Amino acid sequence: MIDTDILIVGGGAIGLSCLNQVPPYLSRILIERNSSFGQEASSRNSEVIHSGIYYPHQSLKTEHCKVGRNELYRFCQGNQIPHRQCGKYVIATTENEEERLAELASHCEYEIVPFQRIGSDWLKRKIPFIKATSGLFFPLSGVFDSHRYLQTLEKKAKEKGAVLSYRSEFIKVLDRDPWTVEVRERGQTIQIRAKILINSAGGEAAKISNQVLTTDIYEHRFCRGRYFILKSFFQEPLQCLVYPVPEADGLGIHLTPDLKGTARLGPDSDWSSELDCHWDDLKSVFLNKTKKYLPDLKVQHLQPGFIGLRPKLFVRGQAHPDFLVEAHGKYLHLLGIESPGLTASLSLGAEVGRIVEKII
Ligand SMILES: Cc1cc2nc3c(=O)[nH]c(=O)nc-3n(C[C@H](O)[C@H](O)[C@H](O)COP(=O)(O)OP(=O)(O)OC[C@H]3O[C@@H](n4cnc5c(N)ncnc54)[C@H](O)[C@@H]3O)c2cc1C
C-alpha cells in the first residue's frame, strides 16, 4: 500500500496543471496509463491560445479561458516556451455570415475581449489567399508549443517533489475515506491510499466518476476533429489564424499555423471516437466546406494529418456544454474538458488548488 495526500488520475494538461497547483505542503502522486504525459487530447489539437470569444457569459469556459490565456502567455514567456501572439481573423463570406459576425462582435464587446473590425480591402492585403467580405481581428489569440508546455509542467512538478507514475492505470475504488484505489502499474496490481482523489482523466473521466460516485449520470460522447496539413499551398509560412464564423456544431474548419508556419486545416466535427478514417474520401468534404473562403485550395494540397477526440459531456442524458468542475467531499472531478481546455489549463489547475485548500 502506497500512501499520499493527493492522488491525481490523468497526465494531460489538466492533471499536470493540478499537480503543480495543489498546496505544496501536500504529498502527491499522478498516475497516467500511457508511457508518458499528454499522449491524448493534449497532443491532438490546434495548439491555439484562445482569447475567449465563443462561450456564454459567465460560463466556466469563458472565465477560465480569459484568465488561463493571460496565465499561459506569462508562463510561456517565463519558461522559454515557444509561442507567438499572432492574432486571429474571423471572416464572413456572405450577408448571412455578416450578421453572425456582427453578433460575435457584440458578444465580444460585452465580454470585453479586444478586437478590430476589418474591411475586405484590408483583408485582401493582409491575407490575399482568403475570400471574404469582412472580418474581425482578435490580437490576443496565438499559438504555442504545447509539448514544451507539458514537459515544463512535468519538470516543475518533479522539482516540487511530486511523483509521476506512467503506465499506471486507475482500475477501481476499493474503499472511501481515505480513498483506496486499485491501480494497474506496469503489469502489476497495486493499491494507493489518498486523502483527496482528483479525476482529470480527460475522455475517461465520466466513466471513472460514475464508478467512484456509484452513479450513472455522467457520460462523455466523443466528437472527433480531423486535420489535414497543407502542402505547397502557401508561398510563405502562414502567420496568423483564420477562422470562418462559428457554426452550430463547432468553430468551423479553420486554418492554423504551427510555430514553423506550417498550416493545418481543421478540425471538423464528427460524432465518432475512431482514431482512423478514410482520408481520401474526406478531402472533398473539406474542400466543399472551405471553398467559400479558400477558393484556390485543391485536393493535392491536402495531406492527412491527425485526429483528436472532444469529450462532450452529458449529465442525466442532457448536454452540458460547459466545463464541469465539482467536489464531492474529498473527490474532485473535471468533466467535459474540451476546447478551450488547453488555454484554460493553468486557470483550471489554480481552481482545483483553491478547492483542495478548502477541503484540507
Ligand atoms: C480536435 C481538438 C482541437 C483542440 N484545439 C484546442 C486549441 O486549439 N486550444 C485549446 O485551448 N484547446 C484545444 N482543445 C482542447 C484541449 O486539447 C483539451 O481540452 C485538453 O487537452 C484536455 O486536457 P485533459 O488533461 O483534460 O485531457 P487529456 O489530454 O486527454 O488527458 C487525460 C489523460 O488521462 C489519462 N487517463 C485516462 N484514463 C485513465 C486511467 N484509467 N488511468 C490513468 N490515466 C488515465 C489519459 O491517458 C490522458 O493522458 C482541442 C481539443 C480537440 C480534441
Side-chain angles (χ1 to χ4, degrees):
M1 177 79 73
I2 298 165
D3 274 294
T4 181
D5 291 324
I6 297 191
L7 175 63
I8 297 177
V9 183
I14 303 300
L16 290 172
S17 173
C18 294
L19 191 65
N20 273 279
Q21 298 192 73
V22 291
Y25 51 85
L26 299 173
S27 58
R28 69 218 96 122
I29 297 175
L30 179 147
I31 54 171
E32 164 54 54
R33 64 182 173 184
N34 292 320
S35 58
S36 183
F37 58 82
Q39 305 279 294
E40 306 210 358
S42 297
S43 59
R44 295 166 165 271
N45 57 68
S46 308
E47 297 185 296
V48 171
I49 302 180
H50 286 293
S51 47
I53 63 174
Y54 296 115
Y55 322 105
H57 182 57
Q58 288 186 335
S59 62
L60 293 189
K61 283 186 179 174
T62 295
E63 298 309 313
H64 286 291
C65 184
K66 288 196 314 199
V67 176
R69 157 254 279 170
N70 294 341
E71 292 289 316
L72 190 51
Y73 278 123
R74 260 197 295 275
F75 191 87
C76 288
Q77 276 151 17
N79 293 285
Q80 290 80 48
I81 294 166
H83 66 289
R84 202 168 69 236
Q85 192 177 329
C86 55
K88 148 171 159 176
Y89 293 94
V90 180
I91 46 140
T93 59
T94 61
E95 233 172 80
N96 174 278
E97 288 186 358
E98 291 279 348
E99 277 169 34
R100 281 154 54 204
L101 197 68
E103 284 164 23
L104 183 63
S106 313
H107 177 68
C108 293
E109 271 164 0
Y110 190 65
E111 293 295 340
I112 323 177
V113 179
F115 67 88
Q116 292 145 26
R117 289 188 168 80
I118 312 280
S120 61
D121 288 348
W122 181 256
L123 284 170
K124 250 182 229 147
R125 247 176 291 139
K126 280 285 179 194
I127 41 175
F129 49 91
I130 293 293
K131 190 174 146 218
T133 49
S134 72
L136 303 174
F137 181 70
F138 295 91
L140 291 183
S141 304
V143 288
F144 77 123
D145 183 336
S146 61
H147 181 76
R148 281 279 292 280
Y149 168 60
L150 300 181
Q151 203 174 32
T152 307
L153 285 177
E154 187 210 40
K155 182 166 168 270
K156 283 182 177 288
K158 281 183 179 163
E159 283 165 5
K160 288 180 208 155
V163 174
L164 291 100
S165 180
Y166 295 123
R167 292 202 198 89
S168 293
E169 185 172 8
F170 171 99
I171 302 296
K172 61 182 177 203
V173 159
L174 300 169
D175 216 345
R176 294 167 167 79
D177 203 13
W179 295 105
T180 308
V181 168
E182 184 179 306
V183 174
R184 192 89 187 136
E185 189 187 57
R186 289 176 281 279
Q188 295 206 328
T189 301
I190 62 160
Q191 292 182 10
I192 302 181
R193 191 161 52 198
K195 291 182 187 136
I196 296 177
L197 178 60
I198 299 174
N199 170 6
S200 55
E204 295 300 310
K207 266 191 217 150
I208 291 178
S209 276
N210 286 338
Q211 202 261 111
V212 170
L213 299 170
T214 52
T215 181
D216 58 3
I217 64 170
Y218 302 111
E219 187 190 355
H220 278 149
R221 297 180 196 166
F222 292 99
C223 180
R224 64 182 176 172
R226 296 168 287 189
Y227 293 83
F228 283 97
I229 310 297
L230 295 196
K231 286 283 162 196
S232 332
F233 179 66
F234 295 107
Q235 317 292 320
E236 309 266 318
L238 180 65
Q239 296 292 354
C240 59
L241 304 155
V242 184
Y243 285 56
V245 284
E247 294 167 358
D249 61 349
L251 306 187
I253 294 176
H254 46 264
L255 261 183
T256 55
D258 64 14
L259 286 159
K260 290 190 201 111
T262 304
R264 302 167 178 147
L265 188 67
D268 64 346
S269 293
D270 182 44
W271 288 93
S272 163
S273 57
E274 281 290 310
L275 282 175
D276 201 3
C277 76
H278 298 289
W279 290 100
D280 280 342
D281 299 345
L282 193 62
K283 284 179 181 172
S284 56
V285 178
F286 266 56
L287 287 180
N288 264 330
K289 287 203 166 165
T290 55
K291 68 178 176 211
K292 60 181 180 181
Y293 75 94
L294 280 172
D296 299 330
L297 193 67
K298 304 271 182 304
V299 168
Q300 61 268 27
H301 297 129
L302 299 180
Q303 185 173 295
F306 59 94
I307 301 176
L309 298 181
R310 306 176 181 93
K312 298 277 184 189
L313 179 61
F314 288 75
V315 181
R316 294 189 182 83
Q318 296 291 313
H320 182 93
D322 201 2
F323 298 152
L324 186 64
V325 182
E326 283 182 333
H328 295 260
K330 292 181 181 173
Y331 173 72
L332 265 93
H333 61 192
L334 297 104
L335 306 181
I337 311 295
E338 52 172 325
S339 192
L342 207 51
T343 307
S345 53
L346 288 175
S347 179
L348 286 167
E351 174 68 11
V352 167
R354 286 188 289 273
I355 298 174
V356 168
E357 194 112 44
K358 274 191 212 147
I359 297 174
I360 285 290

